[in-house]
Structure formats: structure tokens, C-alpha cells
Amino acid sequence: EKTGDIAATRQWLAKAKTSPDAVKADIISMLGRRGDLLAVDFVTENLNSVSEVVRIEAIGALVNLEGKDALLL
């Protein structure tokens, strides 16, 4: 799902920051599948979310974005 560009990623990041947890989790998952490394900081921040669903999606997205390097956190 490597679609879109940096501008699209920025729009999705902005949307995720103001979205309810379920929507944020979906956006994080999609950002991971898109593979734009611009999302890494946002995804990493959400590893500590109070929402379990957000944390779970952040883990998967980070692995998609960074591969085995994600395990070094």
C-alpha cells in the first residue's frame, strides 16, 4: 500500500492527532502499510498511548516502517 506522498502523510498525521482512539488506530495502521518514514515519530509516540488498540496498531506499524530496526527500541 505504498501510495501517496509526504503531503498526504502530513494530512493523515494531523487527522490522527485529533481523532478518537479507534480512528487513530486505523490511521496508524494505514501509515505503517504506506511505508512513509515521516510517520515514524508519530507512531513511536503512540507506543505509550493509554489506549490498548492504539498501542497494538503502533507496534505493527512501526515494524512495517522500520523492519527489524523497530526491535531495538
Side-chain angles (χ1 to χ4, degrees), residues 2-73:
K2 309 284 190 226
T3 60
D5 57 13
I6 291 173
T9 298
R10 286 190 177 123
Q11 289 176 331
W12 282 115
L13 291 170
K15 176 77 173 168
K17 289 176 184 178
T18 61
S19 295
D21 289 341
V23 175
K24 181 185 284 189
D26 287 343
I27 293 171
I28 288 171
S29 177
M30 178 270 302
L31 289 169
R33 292 191 309 273
R34 287 184 71 232
D36 188 336
L37 295 178
L38 181 64
V40 168
D41 288 342
F42 177 74
V43 171
T44 302
E45 291 168 11
N46 281 281
L47 292 173
N48 296 317
S49 173
V50 296
S51 168
E52 181 179 12
V53 68
V54 171
R55 288 192 312 268
I56 290 169
E57 292 303 332
I59 292 167
L62 194 59
V63 169
N64 284 339
L65 291 166
E66 294 194 322
K68 66 180 180 179
D69 291 337
L71 302 175
L72 301 176
L73 285 177

